[in-house]
Amino acid sequence: LHRVDRRQRQMCIRDRITITVPPVDILRGLVGYYDFESGIADQSGSPITHDGTYDGIDPLAITETGAGFAGDATYEGAVATNSTDRSTLLVGNALNIAGNAGGGAGAGAFAVSTLNTATLGNQFSISAWFFVAADADTGDQRHFVFEANDNYDVSFGTGTVTGEDGNGTFTSYVGQDGAPVTNSLAQGVWHHVLHSFSTSGPNTSMQVYINGVNTTSEIVATTAVNFPGLNFGMHRAETGRVLDGMMDDIGVWDRALSEEEIALVFELGSNGIGIKGPVAGLAITSISYDADTGDATIEFISVAGATYSIDSSSELVGWDELTDNFKATSDRSSYTENTNDPRSFFRVRRN
């Protein structure tokens, strides 16, 4: 048994057994990450950076648009007589996007031209949190979270003209073949979307997760998926269909994420923790108990040179500190403690 517990991962053992679980390392293959604390530069730590570029109207042309947005309960957007509540943030500052009064390009949306098929290959994942807060001053009746920058080989946005409330049917696309997702993603609430793409033979499969739930899928020929870059918060032409609202904690991987990894990404954001937060890259992968000696041994993913705190609990009521200064020497660590208890929970936290 193992589960995420807000800022740590923990596992329970019973009797004389060894439990092994697949490692959940959501930093592996992360090639683009945008937390919007102060800008749209890539924060993934990948050897090759994929910085964003604002498109549409200059972010300063409409007040408080772009990265570093700290929230506003009466955000006025392009027209001062209209306002929306954008005070609820997800993880620190957000990216604020505003449609303009006449439709067309808004302010705050951005593009990453280097996140393309050549970089990502045919197996990749895109994750984003979004908050639609459209008001009467937006000229757009469709709202896009992301889309390829010259087609809709990759796309997620409202698929029909539904009016300015932003409550329309969201549709996911792969290879310009669409699959309606839901018509219940109301504005004024943070939602999470993740598209995971994988190949099998000549085909590419898209799995769509909305708020942690696998809602739909689509299969197309792999040759149909070819795009030169990604846009976030607007559609492919960079001239409209702006997501009038906020976005946060966007991640792009050059691999298909597993169900366990997708669940972790969603749970982290739901608890106000970013993809590169304190849990990222940390997972207990194995735990064993020796009834003869009373020793329990845990193995976990770690970062060489980092220090960790390790605690145990028998009933998850309170925690006993085993060590607060375990120093890892590689990307996999092992820790043994004489617990004399065949029923124990363990948690590992990076200091």
Side-chain angles (χ1 to χ4, degrees), residues 59-108:
L60 299 179
I62 298 180
T63 305
E64 294 184 276
T65 51
F69 182 61
D72 189 339
T74 55
Y75 179 70
E76 295 180 345
V79 180
T81 56
N82 302 305
S83 68
T84 55
D85 185 351
R86 303 188 184 190
S87 61
T88 302
L89 300 177
L90 185 76
V91 184
N93 294 334
L95 177 77
N96 193 35
I97 306 171
N100 62 26

Side-chain angles (χ1 to χ4, degrees), residues 144-344:
F144 275 71
V145 179
F146 57 79
E147 189 164 69
N149 67 7
D150 76 338
N151 55 41
Y152 49 103
D153 281 0
V154 175
S155 177
F156 180 74
T158 50
T160 57
V161 177
T162 56
E164 296 170 350
D165 59 6
N167 294 327
T169 299
F170 277 81
T171 300
S172 295
Y173 282 89
V174 57
Q176 304 192 44
D177 194 0
V181 176
T182 179
N183 59 358
S184 60
L185 297 182
Q187 70 167 320
V189 179
W190 281 101
H191 297 288
H192 180 248
V193 57
L194 192 146
H195 287 185
S196 180
F197 302 86
S198 59
T199 57
S200 178
N203 297 324
T204 291
S205 170
M206 172 185 66
Q207 299 294 325
V208 179
Y209 290 78
I210 303 296
N211 296 329
V213 178
N214 189 188
T215 59
T216 191
S217 62
E218 193 73 18
I219 297 176
V220 299
T222 299
T223 54
V225 185
N226 186 20
F227 54 96
L230 292 174
N231 293 341
F232 293 96
M234 60 184 170
H235 79 149
R236 56 190 177 275
E238 305 177 10
T239 57
R241 299 179 186 176
V242 172
L243 180 88
D244 200 9
M246 298 182 289
M247 296 183 69
D248 204 357
D249 213 50
I250 293 175
V252 181
W253 293 259
D254 62 1
R255 64 185 181 90
L257 296 186
S258 68
E259 290 185 1
E260 292 83 4
E261 291 168 326
I262 293 168
L264 178 56
V265 170
F266 173 67
E267 185 157 357
L268 288 175
S270 298
N271 286 283
I273 304 171
I275 289 172
K276 293 192 68 177
V279 177
L282 173 61
I284 297 175
T285 58
S286 176
I287 188 166
S288 60
Y289 178 74
D290 188 331
D292 293 334
T293 64
D295 289 345
T297 299
I298 63 172
E299 296 178 357
F300 59 95
I301 295 172
S302 57
V303 176
T307 59
Y308 297 85
S309 295
I310 303 174
D311 309 315
S312 69
S313 175
S314 58
E315 298 294 339
L316 289 178
V317 176
W319 291 93
D320 297 320
E321 182 181 275
L322 302 179
T323 178
D324 64 356
N325 193 33
F326 177 88
K327 187 172 183 178
T329 58
S330 68
D331 61 358
R332 294 290 188 274
S333 292
S334 176
Y335 178 83
T336 299
E337 183 77 19
N338 186 266
T339 63
N340 281 316
D341 186 355
R343 174 182 169 85
S344 298

Side-chain angles (χ1 to χ4, degrees), residues 18-31:
T18 298
I19 302 173
T20 302
V21 297
V24 181
D25 185 1
I26 57 173
L27 299 188
R28 182 172 63 87
L30 183 67
V31 295

